[in-house]
Amino acid sequence: MKTMNFRKYSAYPAVPIEGRTWPDNRIEAAPVWCSVDLRDGNQALPVPMSVEEKVAMFKLLVSVGFKEIEVGFPSASATEFAFVRRLVEEQLIPDDVTIQVLTQAREHLIRRSFEAISGAANAIVHMYNSTSTLQRDVVFRKSREEIKAIAVEGTHLCRQLKDESGSAGIRFEYSPESFTGTELDYALEVCHAVMEAWGASADNPVILNLPSTVEMSLPNMYADRIEWFCRNIMDRGAAIISVHAHNDRGTAVATAELALLAGADRIEGALFGNGERCGNMDMVTMALNLFTQGVDSGLDFSDLPYIREVYRRCTRMDVHPRHPYAGDLVYTAFSGSHQDAISKGMKAHGSHGDGLWDVPYLPIDPGDVGCSYEAIVRINSQSGKGGVAFVLEKDYGIQIPKWMQPDFAWEVQALADRTGEELSPQRIHELFLDGFVRLRQPSVSLKKCTISWADSVQLESGEAATLIRAEVEVDGSLINFDATGNGPLDAFVKGFGEKSSISIRVDEYAEHAIGHGSGAEAIAYVRIVCDDGRSACGAGVDSNISLASIRATLSALNRLS
C-alpha cells in the first residue's frame, strides 16, 4: 500500500507565551464585523460579479447589518474602480456604513485607491504588504528592513493623501500579509513602525489586521499569537486588532472565535465562507454561533433563505446542503431516534416556562433564521416510527397513537427499502390511507349500518344499550345482524363475532378530529386481537365518529390477512 510522505512537512512553531488568559475568557459581546464578500470573496469567483451584481450584494450586506464592508480593490481593474465610484456618486452608502478598499503598499495603487473613495463620507484604506519569511526570501528577495520600509513608506503616503483630501472620515488599516508565516517579533516591529508613521493614538487608532492568510496551525496556536501581540504592542489603545482567517485547515471559524477570546476586536470574513482556496471565515456560522449562546451578534440572519438566494444569484456559488445553519438539510432528521426526539422536543418546548430553546438535535430554532418546521423531519429507510408519525401529524393532522406507530413505520420502511428513495409527506399520507383506511380489495366491507340508543333496554351495568343493525360482506357473502352493546363499537364487535365465527376483541382504541368546523371529519384507530392470538391495527375516517370506529375495526380485520 502506498504511504503518504508526512516527513516532508514540519510542525508549526509554538508561541513563547506563559500564563495565557484566553482559555478562561468568554465571548460576551459581538466584535466589529467587516464583510469582504465584495473583494476577497469576489476575486475567488470563477466568474467575478458584475457591477450590478456587486450593487445587489452590497445592498444585501447593508440589510444584514454590516457597518464595515470591503467593497473592492479599485486599483486592480476598471470594473472595481467603477463599482466604488458608483457607490459614492449614487449615494448608495448609508451614513452609518463605512466602505473599505484594499491596496498593496505601492504608490500608484494607493493614489488610485484614494481617487476611488473621493467624496465618501466614511472610508477605510486597507494597505498590505507581505512580511512572511517565505515571501521575503522567495518572492520579493528583500531583507526585513526593506520589507518594513515598504510598509512605512506606504503608510506615510496614505497619511499624506488623507490630509490632502480634508476628509476626517478616512481611516487606515494595515495588514502584515501572511502574518501566520511571519516571525512574531518581526510582525510586531513592522506594526509599531506603521503605527508611528500613521501617528496612531487613542483618538486616531490604526486597524492592525493580523491575517491567517494561509491557515497553518491549530486555532489555539493562532490565539496564542494574538494574545502575545496584544500583550506586547506599545500602545494597545491606539490599535484596533482585526483578524482575517482563511479556512485551509477547515477551522477558520474556530480560529476567529479563539482570536476574540485572545483580545481581537474585529473580524473580517464572508457570507458562507466564500473566498480563495478553502474560503474565508464564515460570517453566517460565526454570527449564529454567538446568537445560540445568547449573544447579540448585531447581524440579522432572520431570513437565511433570502440571503442564500441573493448570494447564489450574485456569486453563482451554491451553499452546501450540510452548511451550518443555512444548508437545505441542517434542520432535517433521517434517523428514527433523532426524529422521535425532535418530535417530542417540539411538543414539550416552552413547558419549562423560561422561554429557552431546548429541542434535542436542533441547536437553533429554525424559525429564527426563516426556515420552516415542515422540513425538519424527512423520511427514508433509516427513519423510525416517531419521525413518520411526526410528518403525518404536522402535515395532515393525523395523530397515530404510539401502539399503532410500529405497524405503520414498518410499511414506510418497506416502501423506502424497495424504492431506495426519500419519501415525501404526500406519499407517506397516501401509504397510510391505502394501507389502513381505504384498503383497495377488502375481504370484509360494510354495506349498511344504522345505530340507535334505547333507554328502555338496560345493560347489566345499568347503562342504556346501543342498538346496531348492520350488513357486512365477508369474502363475497353477506351477513346481517342486530346487536346491542355499551356503545356502537362494542355492539358491532359482538354482532359480527356471533354471525361470522370470527371472534375478536378491541385491545386498543383512540380517536380525534381532523380539521375544524362543520367540515371536520373524525378518525378512529383500533387494535384488535383474535382468539388465536393474531392482532392487527386499523384506522377509519368518517364524519360520524361511531362509523369511523367501525370502519377502523373492519380495516384491522382486513389487515389480519
Coordinates of all heavy atoms in Angstrom, one line a residue, residues 434-496:
D434 N -54.0 4.2 2.0 CA -54.2 2.9 1.3 C -54.0 1.7 2.2 O -54.7 0.7 2.0 CB -53.1 2.8 0.1 CG -53.4 3.8 -1.0 OD1 -54.6 4.4 -1.0 OD2 -52.5 4.1 -1.8
G435 N -53.1 1.8 3.1 CA -52.8 0.6 4.0 C -53.7 0.5 5.2 O -53.8 -0.7 5.7
F436 N -54.3 1.6 5.7 CA -55.0 1.5 6.9 C -56.4 2.0 6.9 O -57.2 1.8 7.8 CB -54.2 2.2 8.0 CG -53.0 1.5 8.4 CD1 -51.8 1.7 7.7 CD2 -53.0 0.7 9.5 CE1 -50.7 1.1 8.1 CE2 -51.8 0.1 9.9 CZ -50.6 0.2 9.2
V437 N -56.8 2.8 5.8 CA -58.1 3.4 5.8 C -58.9 2.9 4.6 O -60.1 2.4 4.8 CB -57.9 5.0 5.7 CG1 -59.3 5.6 5.6 CG2 -57.2 5.5 6.9
R438 N -58.4 3.0 3.4 CA -59.2 2.6 2.2 C -58.6 1.5 1.5 O -58.1 1.6 0.4 CB -59.4 3.9 1.4 CG -58.0 4.4 0.9 CD -58.2 5.7 0.1 NE -56.9 6.2 -0.4 CZ -56.6 7.4 -0.7 NH1 -57.6 8.4 -0.6 NH2 -55.5 7.8 -1.2
L439 N -58.6 0.3 2.1 CA -58.0 -0.9 1.5 C -58.6 -1.1 0.2 O -59.8 -1.1 0.0 CB -58.1 -2.1 2.4 CG -57.1 -2.1 3.6 CD1 -57.4 -1.1 4.6 CD2 -57.0 -3.5 4.2
R440 N -57.8 -1.4 -0.9 CA -58.3 -1.5 -2.2 C -59.1 -2.7 -2.5 O -60.1 -2.6 -3.2 CB -57.1 -1.4 -3.2 CG -56.3 -0.1 -3.1 CD -55.1 -0.1 -4.0 NE -54.2 1.1 -3.8 CZ -54.4 2.2 -4.4 NH1 -55.3 2.3 -5.4 NH2 -53.6 3.2 -4.1
Q441 N -58.8 -3.8 -2.0 CA -59.6 -5.1 -2.2 C -59.9 -5.7 -0.9 O -59.3 -6.8 -0.5 CB -58.8 -6.0 -3.1 CG -58.6 -5.5 -4.5 CD -57.9 -6.5 -5.4 OE1 -56.9 -7.1 -5.0 NE2 -58.3 -6.6 -6.6
P442 N -60.8 -5.1 -0.1 CA -61.0 -5.7 1.3 C -61.8 -7.0 1.2 O -62.7 -7.2 0.3 CB -61.9 -4.6 1.9 CG -62.5 -3.9 0.8 CD -61.6 -3.9 -0.4
S443 N -61.5 -7.9 2.1 CA -62.3 -9.1 2.2 C -63.5 -8.9 3.1 O -64.4 -9.7 3.0 CB -61.4 -10.3 2.7 OG -60.9 -9.9 4.0
V444 N -63.5 -7.9 3.9 CA -64.6 -7.6 4.8 C -64.9 -6.1 4.5 O -64.1 -5.2 4.6 CB -64.2 -7.8 6.3 CG1 -65.4 -7.5 7.1 CG2 -63.7 -9.2 6.5
S445 N -66.2 -5.8 4.2 CA -66.6 -4.4 4.0 C -68.0 -4.2 4.5 O -68.9 -5.1 4.5 CB -66.6 -4.1 2.5 OG -67.4 -5.0 1.7
L446 N -68.2 -2.9 4.9 CA -69.5 -2.5 5.5 C -70.5 -2.1 4.4 O -70.1 -1.2 3.6 CB -69.3 -1.4 6.5 CG -70.5 -0.9 7.3 CD1 -71.0 -2.0 8.2 CD2 -70.2 0.3 8.1
K447 N -71.6 -2.7 4.3 CA -72.6 -2.3 3.3 C -73.7 -1.4 3.8 O -74.1 -0.4 3.2 CB -73.3 -3.5 2.7 CG -72.3 -4.5 2.0 CD -71.6 -3.7 0.8 CE -70.6 -4.6 0.1 NZ -70.0 -3.9 -1.0
K448 N -74.2 -1.7 5.0 CA -75.2 -0.9 5.7 C -75.0 -0.9 7.2 O -74.5 -1.8 7.7 CB -76.7 -1.4 5.4 CG -77.1 -1.4 3.9 CD -78.5 -2.0 3.8 CE -78.9 -2.1 2.3 NZ -80.2 -2.7 2.2
C449 N -75.4 0.2 7.8 CA -75.3 0.3 9.3 C -76.2 1.4 9.8 O -76.1 2.5 9.3 CB -73.8 0.5 9.7 SG -73.5 0.5 11.4
T450 N -77.0 1.0 10.8 CA -77.8 2.0 11.5 C -77.5 1.9 13.0 O -77.3 0.7 13.5 CB -79.3 1.9 11.2 OG1 -79.7 0.5 11.6 CG2 -79.6 2.1 9.7
I451 N -77.5 3.0 13.7 CA -77.2 3.0 15.1 C -78.3 3.7 15.8 O -78.7 4.8 15.4 CB -75.8 3.7 15.3 CG1 -74.7 3.0 14.6 CG2 -75.5 3.7 16.8 CD1 -73.4 3.8 14.6
S452 N -78.7 3.2 16.9 CA -79.7 3.9 17.7 C -79.5 3.5 19.2 O -78.7 2.6 19.6 CB -81.1 3.4 17.3 OG -81.3 2.0 17.5
W453 N -80.1 4.3 20.1 CA -79.9 4.2 21.5 C -81.3 3.9 22.1 O -82.3 4.6 21.8 CB -79.3 5.4 22.1 CG -77.8 5.5 21.8 CD1 -76.8 5.1 22.5 CD2 -77.3 6.0 20.6 NE1 -75.6 5.3 21.9 CE2 -75.9 5.9 20.6 CE3 -77.8 6.6 19.4 CZ2 -75.0 6.3 19.6 CZ3 -77.0 7.0 18.4 CH2 -75.6 6.9 18.5
A454 N -81.4 3.0 23.0 CA -82.7 2.7 23.6 C -82.6 2.8 25.2 O -82.0 1.9 25.8 CB -83.2 1.2 23.2
D455 N -83.3 3.8 25.7 CA -83.3 3.9 27.2 C -84.0 2.7 27.9 O -83.7 2.4 29.0 CB -84.0 5.2 27.6 CG -83.1 6.4 27.2 OD1 -81.9 6.3 27.0 OD2 -83.7 7.5 27.0
S456 N -84.9 2.1 27.1 CA -85.7 1.0 27.7 C -84.9 -0.3 27.8 O -85.3 -1.2 28.5 CB -87.0 0.8 26.8 OG -86.6 0.4 25.5
V457 N -83.8 -0.4 27.1 CA -83.0 -1.6 27.1 C -81.8 -1.3 28.0 O -81.0 -0.4 27.7 CB -82.5 -2.0 25.7 CG1 -81.7 -3.3 25.8 CG2 -83.7 -2.2 24.8
Q458 N -81.8 -2.0 29.1 CA -80.7 -1.8 30.1 C -79.6 -2.9 30.0 O -80.0 -4.1 29.9 CB -81.3 -1.7 31.5 CG -82.3 -0.6 31.7 CD -81.6 0.7 31.8 OE1 -80.5 0.9 32.4 NE2 -82.2 1.7 31.1
L459 N -78.4 -2.5 30.1 CA -77.3 -3.5 30.2 C -77.1 -3.8 31.7 O -77.7 -3.2 32.6 CB -76.0 -2.8 29.7 CG -76.0 -2.4 28.2 CD1 -74.7 -1.7 27.8 CD2 -76.3 -3.6 27.3
E460 N -76.3 -4.9 31.9 CA -76.1 -5.3 33.3 C -75.5 -4.2 34.1 O -75.7 -4.1 35.4 CB -75.1 -6.5 33.3 CG -75.7 -7.8 32.7 CD -74.8 -8.9 32.8 OE1 -73.7 -8.8 33.4 OE2 -75.1 -10.0 32.3
S461 N -74.7 -3.3 33.5 CA -74.1 -2.1 34.2 C -75.1 -1.1 34.6 O -74.8 -0.1 35.3 CB -73.0 -1.5 33.4 OG -73.6 -1.0 32.2
G462 N -76.4 -1.2 34.0 CA -77.4 -0.2 34.3 C -77.4 0.9 33.2 O -78.3 1.7 33.2
E463 N -76.4 0.8 32.3 CA -76.4 1.8 31.2 C -77.4 1.5 30.1 O -77.8 0.4 29.9 CB -75.0 1.8 30.5 CG -73.9 2.2 31.5 CD -72.5 2.1 30.8 OE1 -72.0 1.0 30.7 OE2 -72.1 3.2 30.3
A464 N -77.8 2.6 29.4 CA -78.7 2.4 28.3 C -77.9 1.7 27.1 O -76.7 2.0 26.9 CB -79.2 3.7 27.8
A465 N -78.5 0.8 26.4 CA -77.9 0.0 25.4 C -77.8 0.8 24.1 O -78.7 1.6 23.8 CB -78.6 -1.3 25.2
T466 N -76.8 0.4 23.3 CA -76.7 0.9 22.0 C -77.1 -0.2 21.0 O -76.7 -1.3 21.2 CB -75.2 1.3 21.6 OG1 -74.8 2.4 22.5 CG2 -75.1 1.8 20.2
L467 N -78.0 0.1 20.1 CA -78.5 -0.9 19.2 C -77.9 -0.7 17.8 O -77.8 0.5 17.4 CB -80.0 -0.8 19.1 CG -80.8 -0.7 20.4 CD1 -82.3 -0.6 20.1 CD2 -80.6 -2.0 21.2
I468 N -77.5 -1.8 17.2 CA -76.9 -1.6 15.9 C -77.5 -2.6 14.9 O -77.7 -3.8 15.3 CB -75.3 -1.8 16.0 CG1 -74.7 -1.3 14.6 CG2 -74.9 -3.2 16.3 CD1 -73.2 -1.1 14.7
R469 N -77.7 -2.2 13.7 CA -78.2 -3.1 12.6 C -77.2 -2.9 11.5 O -77.1 -1.8 11.0 CB -79.6 -2.8 12.2 CG -80.1 -3.6 11.1 CD -81.6 -3.5 10.9 NE -82.3 -4.1 12.0 CZ -83.7 -4.0 12.1 NH1 -84.4 -3.3 11.3 NH2 -84.3 -4.6 13.2
A470 N -76.6 -4.0 11.1 CA -75.5 -3.9 10.1 C -75.6 -5.0 9.0 O -76.1 -6.1 9.3 CB -74.2 -3.9 10.7
E471 N -75.1 -4.7 7.8 CA -75.0 -5.6 6.8 C -73.5 -5.6 6.3 O -73.0 -4.5 6.0 CB -75.9 -5.3 5.6 CG -75.8 -6.3 4.4 CD -76.7 -6.0 3.3 OE1 -77.9 -6.4 3.4 OE2 -76.3 -5.4 2.3
V472 N -72.8 -6.7 6.4 CA -71.4 -6.8 6.1 C -71.1 -7.9 5.1 O -71.7 -9.0 5.2 CB -70.6 -7.1 7.4 CG1 -69.1 -7.2 7.1 CG2 -70.8 -6.0 8.5
E473 N -70.3 -7.5 4.1 CA -69.9 -8.5 3.1 C -68.5 -9.1 3.6 O -67.6 -8.4 3.8 CB -69.7 -7.9 1.8 CG -69.3 -8.9 0.7 CD -69.2 -8.2 -0.7 OE1 -69.7 -7.1 -0.9 OE2 -68.7 -8.9 -1.6
V474 N -68.5 -10.5 3.7 CA -67.3 -11.2 4.0 C -67.0 -12.2 3.0 O -67.7 -13.2 2.7 CB -67.5 -11.9 5.4 CG1 -66.2 -12.7 5.8 CG2 -67.9 -10.9 6.5
D475 N -65.9 -12.0 2.3 CA -65.4 -12.9 1.2 C -66.6 -13.1 0.2 O -66.8 -14.2 -0.3 CB -64.9 -14.2 1.7 CG -63.7 -14.0 2.5 OD1 -62.9 -13.1 2.2 OD2 -63.5 -14.8 3.5
G476 N -67.3 -12.1 -0.2 CA -68.4 -12.2 -1.2 C -69.7 -12.5 -0.7 O -70.7 -12.5 -1.4
S477 N -69.8 -12.9 0.6 CA -71.1 -13.3 1.2 C -71.6 -12.3 2.1 O -70.8 -11.6 2.9 CB -71.0 -14.7 1.9 OG -70.6 -15.7 1.0
L478 N -72.9 -12.0 2.1 CA -73.5 -11.0 3.0 C -74.0 -11.6 4.3 O -74.6 -12.7 4.3 CB -74.7 -10.3 2.3 CG -74.3 -9.4 1.1 CD1 -75.6 -8.9 0.5 CD2 -73.4 -8.3 1.5
I479 N -73.7 -10.9 5.4 CA -74.2 -11.3 6.7 C -74.9 -10.1 7.3 O -74.5 -9.0 7.1 CB -73.1 -11.9 7.7 CG1 -72.1 -10.8 7.9 CG2 -72.5 -13.1 7.1 CD1 -71.1 -11.2 9.0
N480 N -76.0 -10.4 8.0 CA -76.8 -9.3 8.6 C -77.0 -9.6 10.1 O -77.1 -10.8 10.4 CB -78.2 -9.2 8.0 CG -78.1 -8.7 6.5 OD1 -78.1 -7.6 6.2 ND2 -78.1 -9.7 5.6
F481 N -76.9 -8.6 10.9 CA -77.1 -8.9 12.3 C -77.6 -7.6 13.0 O -77.4 -6.5 12.6 CB -75.8 -9.3 13.0 CG -74.6 -8.4 12.8 CD1 -74.4 -7.4 13.7 CD2 -73.7 -8.5 11.8 CE1 -73.3 -6.5 13.6 CE2 -72.6 -7.7 11.6 CZ -72.4 -6.6 12.6
D482 N -78.3 -7.9 14.1 CA -78.7 -6.9 15.1 C -78.0 -7.2 16.4 O -77.9 -8.4 16.8 CB -80.2 -6.9 15.3 CG -81.0 -6.5 14.0 OD1 -80.4 -5.9 13.2 OD2 -82.1 -6.9 13.9
A483 N -77.5 -6.2 17.0 CA -76.8 -6.5 18.3 C -76.9 -5.3 19.2 O -77.2 -4.2 18.8 CB -75.3 -6.8 18.0
T484 N -76.6 -5.5 20.5 CA -76.6 -4.4 21.5 C -75.3 -4.5 22.2 O -74.6 -5.5 22.3 CB -77.7 -4.6 22.5 OG1 -77.6 -5.9 23.2 CG2 -79.1 -4.6 21.9
G485 N -74.9 -3.3 22.7 CA -73.7 -3.2 23.5 C -73.6 -1.9 24.2 O -74.6 -1.1 24.2
N486 N -72.5 -1.7 24.9 CA -72.4 -0.4 25.7 C -72.0 0.8 24.8 O -71.7 1.8 25.3 CB -71.5 -0.6 26.8 CG -70.0 -1.0 26.4 OD1 -69.7 -0.9 25.2 ND2 -69.2 -1.4 27.4
G487 N -71.9 0.6 23.5 CA -71.5 1.6 22.5 C -71.5 1.0 21.2 O -71.6 -0.2 21.0
P488 N -71.5 1.8 20.1 CA -71.6 1.3 18.7 C -70.5 0.3 18.4 O -70.8 -0.8 17.8 CB -71.4 2.6 17.9 CG -71.9 3.7 18.7 CD -71.5 3.3 20.1
L489 N -69.3 0.5 18.8 CA -68.2 -0.4 18.5 C -68.4 -1.7 19.2 O -68.2 -2.8 18.7 CB -66.8 0.2 18.8 CG -65.6 -0.6 18.5 CD1 -65.6 -0.9 17.0 CD2 -64.3 0.2 18.9
D490 N -68.7 -1.7 20.5 CA -68.9 -2.9 21.3 C -70.1 -3.7 20.7 O -69.9 -4.9 20.5 CB -69.3 -2.5 22.7 CG -69.5 -3.7 23.6 OD1 -68.6 -4.6 23.7 OD2 -70.6 -3.8 24.2
A491 N -71.2 -3.1 20.3 CA -72.3 -3.8 19.7 C -71.9 -4.4 18.4 O -72.2 -5.6 18.1 CB -73.5 -2.8 19.5
F492 N -71.1 -3.7 17.6 CA -70.7 -4.2 16.3 C -69.8 -5.4 16.4 O -70.0 -6.4 15.7 CB -70.0 -3.1 15.5 CG -69.5 -3.6 14.1 CD1 -70.4 -3.5 13.0 CD2 -68.3 -4.1 13.9 CE1 -70.0 -3.9 11.8 CE2 -67.9 -4.5 12.7 CZ -68.8 -4.4 11.6
V493 N -68.8 -5.4 17.3 CA -67.9 -6.5 17.5 C -68.7 -7.7 18.0 O -68.4 -8.8 17.5 CB -66.8 -6.1 18.5 CG1 -66.0 -7.3 19.0 CG2 -65.9 -5.0 17.9
K494 N -69.6 -7.5 18.9 CA -70.4 -8.7 19.4 C -71.2 -9.3 18.3 O -71.3 -10.5 18.1 CB -71.3 -8.2 20.5 CG -70.6 -8.0 21.8 CD -71.5 -7.5 22.9 CE -70.8 -7.2 24.2 NZ -71.7 -6.6 25.2
G495 N -71.9 -8.4 17.5 CA -72.8 -8.9 16.5 C -72.0 -9.6 15.4 O -72.4 -10.7 14.9
F496 N -70.9 -9.0 15.0 CA -70.1 -9.6 13.9 C -69.5 -10.9 14.3 O -69.5 -11.9 13.6 CB -69.0 -8.6 13.5 CG -68.1 -9.1 12.4 CD1 -68.5 -9.0 11.1 CD2 -66.9 -9.7 12.7 CE1 -67.7 -9.5 10.1 CE2 -66.0 -10.1 11.7 CZ -66.4 -10.0 10.4

